[in-house]
Amino acid sequence: MPSLPVPPLSSTKSKLLEWVEPLVTKEQFQKTSNVIERFFEENGEAVKLQTKLYEWDQSRTGSWLKPFWVNSYLEHRDHLPYSMNFNILLKNDHYKNRFTIAEMAGQVSFLAAELYHAIIDGDVEQDAVKGKLLDMSQYKYFFRSVRIPKLERDTFYVADFNKKNNHVIILYKNNVYKVQVTNHVGAIYQSHQIAAAIETEILADQDEGINVGIFTTAKRDKAAKAYEMLSTSKLNAEILQAIADSIVIISIDEDSKDSEEAIKNLMLNANNKYFDKTIQMIITKQHELGFNIEHSTVDGTSIAAVISHISKGLKKDFHQAGQTFEIPIVEKRTWELKQESLAMLNQFHDDHLRQKDNYHLQSRVFTDFGAGEIKRMNFSPDAFLHMALQIAQYRTYGRFESVYEPVSVRFFYEGRTECARATSMEKRRLVEAMDHGGESKKVLYSLMQRASAAHSDRIRDCQKGYGVERHMYGLEQMYHLFGPELGLEELPEIFKDEGYLTMRRDFISTSGMAYENVKYRMFGPVVEDGHGMAYIILEDSISINISSYTENKIKGNQLMEHLLQALNELRMIGAKDL
C-alpha cells in the first residue's frame, strides 16, 4: 500500500480559508485570514513545522499519523460508552424466528472464530473500492484484543495470532463465562455443540452475579484505579486476562423489548457489558444482534468485515460444520471482591445511572426514498443528506456550525480517517436561498448541483490524503515534540485562533455508512450543546440516528424533524420534471 502523504502547505492553506469561511462572521474571517497568512508565510512557522513533519514521515515505515492518532484515543479520559465507542444494530428479518438465544450465541461464536482463523491464514479477500485496494492492517486488532485503563494514558492489548484453545466470554446475569470455541490443536467446535453447552451451562444458571464490568463506564483514570485494585487478586487478574484473550465478548441483553430500546441499551445499559473490549456483541431476547465497538484501533469501514461475515453466517443454515465433534468446555469465572471493591462498584453503578440520564437518543428509518432516487436526480447520496442536514441545522439553530464527517483513507498503509468539514459556502448559499424564498426551482436546483459537487470534491481530496485537519494536527504535534528545537517558544497563534477553533468544533459529529444489513447506528454527541448523527443510506431508505444531551432534547427532536422535511424539500427541487 502507498504511504499517507504529507499535504503541501499551499494546499492546506487554501482549504483552511475555504473551510472556515462559512462558519464565522466577515470580521472574524478577516482576522483568521490574517493569522493564516502569518502562519504560512515564507520561512515562517508552518514551513519549520512542515520540515519536521517530512523528517518524521521519512523516519517511519507506516503512517506518519498513526502514533498521534492512537494516542489521541488512548489519552482520552472521558467515559468510553458515551464519548468514544460506537454501536450498530443489525436487521434480523432473515433469522429472528430461526434461533433460540443459545443457538444464536453458538452461531455467532463459531462465525467469529471462523473469521479470526481466516485472518490468521490470510484467506480474507482484500477490501477494495471501485477496484482500488484498501489497507487491511486494522484486521489484526479485531479479535483477542482489549483496551486496558491506565492513569493518564490507556494501553491496548492484542494477543499474538493463535488458533489453539481459543474462547469467547459470555456475560449473562452479570456473570462471566469462558466458553471454548477451539480445541488444543486449533479445531473449531461445531456451532450446535457450542449452543448446547451455552444452553445447559449458562442459560440454565439463574444466579445473579455482580456487575464488575460497570467499571468500564467510569472516567478512564477512575477505571484505571479500579482495574489496578481488581488485579491485586490473582483470581481477578486471571478473569481480566481471559477477557483480554477472548475472541469477542457476547452479552445477553434481557432488557430490550424492541429495536429502539436495543440501540439505546447498546450505548446506555451497562448490564452484562465490558466496554473496553474491541468487539462486544449483544444478543437480545427478541433475537436481535448488536455490536458495541471500542474505537481506538478500528473504524467503521473496517469493522464492516466482521458485521458482514456474521450477518451472512446467520442467514445460512444453523449447523455450521466445525472441525471437531468434541464438547466445548464452559467455565464460570467468579470475581473475588472485598468490601472496598464492592463499594467502588456500587459508586460506579450510581454514577452510570446519572450519566445515562444525560443522553437523549432517537432513531428513525426514512422510507420515502433512498440512494437510488437521489442518484437518478444526479446527486451524490452523501452530499444530498448533508445538504438536508445544513438546512435542518439552520432551521433549528438559526446559524451555521461546523459539521464533522469522517472520510476513510484506507487507500494508504495504516490509513484511518480524514475529516471533511461538511459545512461549505456552496451549501450555505443553498440554505440561505431556500430560507429567504423567492428563488425559482431552476436556481435552487443549480445551487444544489454546486453544493453537491463541492461536497464530493472535498470528500475526494480527503480520500487522497489532502484534507486539512489531520495535516494541521500533525503540524501541531511537531510543535509539541520539537518546538524549542525549531525556535518556537509558544504554540503558533493559528492553533488558538477563534476561527480555526470554530472549524474544529464538532457541533454535529456525523458518520455515514452503507451497511446493507444494519438497521441502526449510534454514538454520543461530542460537544455539550451539539449532536451525534449516524446515518445509513440504502437504496430505498435512510436510517437516521441522532444523539443529544438531555438538556438539548428539544433541539435534537427539532433537528430530526427538520432533517426529514428537508430531505423531501430537496427531492421536490431535484425531481426530473424541471
Side-chain angles (χ1 to χ4, degrees), residues 508-555:
I508 301 180
S509 180
T510 74
S511 179
M513 292 292 167
Y515 296 151
E516 287 292 339
N517 298 311
V518 173
K519 186 171 187 179
Y520 296 138
R521 296 176 65 226
M522 190 68 72
F523 54 85
V526 176
V527 298
E528 286 190 5
D529 58 340
H531 309 275
M533 192 184 91
Y535 57 94
I536 307 161
I537 307 177
L538 301 179
E539 187 67 14
D540 299 308
S541 66
I542 305 173
S543 172
I544 303 170
N545 310 263
I546 296 178
S547 64
S548 317
Y549 283 96
T550 302
E551 62 190 26
N552 204 24
K553 173 181 177 179
I554 293 174
K555 290 293 188 183

Side-chain angles (χ1 to χ4, degrees), residues 263-508:
I263 188 64
K264 292 174 182 177
N265 283 335
L266 284 174
M267 175 173 157
L268 298 179
N269 189 325
N271 290 333
N272 300 306
K273 302 283 176 54
Y274 194 91
F275 291 103
D276 290 6
K277 188 67 177 171
T278 305
I279 298 178
Q280 183 172 207
M281 302 189 206
I282 294 87
I283 299 173
T284 77
K285 60 183 179 182
Q286 303 303 322
H287 303 102
E288 293 189 283
L289 181 65
F291 294 76
N292 182 281
I293 308 296
E294 197 283 305
H295 205 349
S296 59
T297 59
V298 299
D299 299 315
T301 59
S302 60
I303 212 70
V306 179
I307 292 165
S308 176
H309 186 79
I310 300 292
S311 271
K312 289 177 182 176
L314 287 172
K315 292 177 184 178
K316 295 177 182 177
D317 292 336
F318 167 56
H319 292 305
Q320 295 286 352
Q323 299 150 344
T324 175
F325 291 95
E326 298 172 57
I327 306 298
I329 298 169
V330 176
E331 299 175 63
K332 183 176 181 180
R333 309 302 296 268
T334 304
W335 300 92
E336 184 176 66
L337 301 171
K338 298 178 182 178
Q339 202 59 41
E340 184 182 8
S341 297
L342 290 170
M344 174 189 64
L345 295 174
N346 286 333
Q347 184 61 57
F348 289 150
H349 174 76
D350 293 342
D351 291 344
H352 166 68
L353 293 180
R354 284 191 292 271
Q355 280 294 323
K356 69 181 290 189
D357 287 341
N358 288 337
Y359 294 91
H360 172 64
L361 311 179
Q362 48 182 329
S363 296
R364 301 273 285 274
V365 178
F366 176 85
T367 56
D368 290 3
F369 60 92
E373 186 162 338
I374 295 170
K375 289 175 184 176
R376 287 192 289 275
M377 288 186 269
N378 293 320
F379 293 110
S380 149
D382 190 68
F384 193 95
L385 186 282
H386 274 278
M387 286 188 280
L389 179 59
Q390 289 296 332
I391 296 167
Q393 176 185 239
Y394 188 72
R395 289 175 179 171
T396 303
Y397 288 96
R399 63 182 187 269
F400 296 92
E401 293 260 14
S402 193
V403 174
Y404 177 95
E405 181 178 10
V407 178
S408 174
V409 288
R410 287 178 59 207
F411 296 119
F412 303 102
Y413 177 54
E414 295 185 338
R416 296 283 301 265
T417 61
E418 177 57 91
C419 166
R421 292 291 166 182
T423 310
S424 65
M425 286 303 296
E426 291 82 1
K427 291 197 192 82
R428 179 168 179 160
R429 292 185 190 107
L430 169 66
V431 174
E432 289 172 339
M434 292 181 69
D435 187 65
H436 296 156
E439 294 290 0
S440 68
K441 184 177 178 181
K442 184 175 182 180
V443 169
L444 293 176
Y445 183 79
S446 177
L447 290 171
M448 282 180 66
Q449 287 181 310
R450 291 174 199 167
S452 178
H455 182 94
S456 297
D457 286 346
R458 191 172 290 190
I459 296 293
R460 278 192 289 270
D461 280 346
C462 289
Q463 288 174 333
K464 294 174 184 176
Y466 293 109
V468 169
E469 291 209 24
R470 304 301 187 249
H471 185 204
M472 290 296 291
Y473 180 66
L475 295 176
E476 186 176 0
Q477 295 307 306
M478 291 302 101
Y479 164 78
H480 291 303
L481 287 174
F482 307 109
E485 177 186 328
L486 296 171
L488 303 177
E489 300 302 326
E490 291 186 14
L491 181 68
E493 62 179 331
I494 182 62
F495 299 113
K496 299 175 281 187
D497 174 74
E498 183 179 336
Y500 176 75
L501 294 176
T502 298
M503 183 199 74
R504 291 288 312 278
R505 187 171 184 267
D506 302 329
F507 183 71
I508 301 180

Side-chain angles (χ1 to χ4, degrees), residues 4-18:
L4 183 70
V6 175
L9 291 176
S10 57
S11 168
T12 297
K13 177 184 176 182
S14 62
K15 290 186 177 75
L16 195 50
L17 288 162
E18 178 187 322

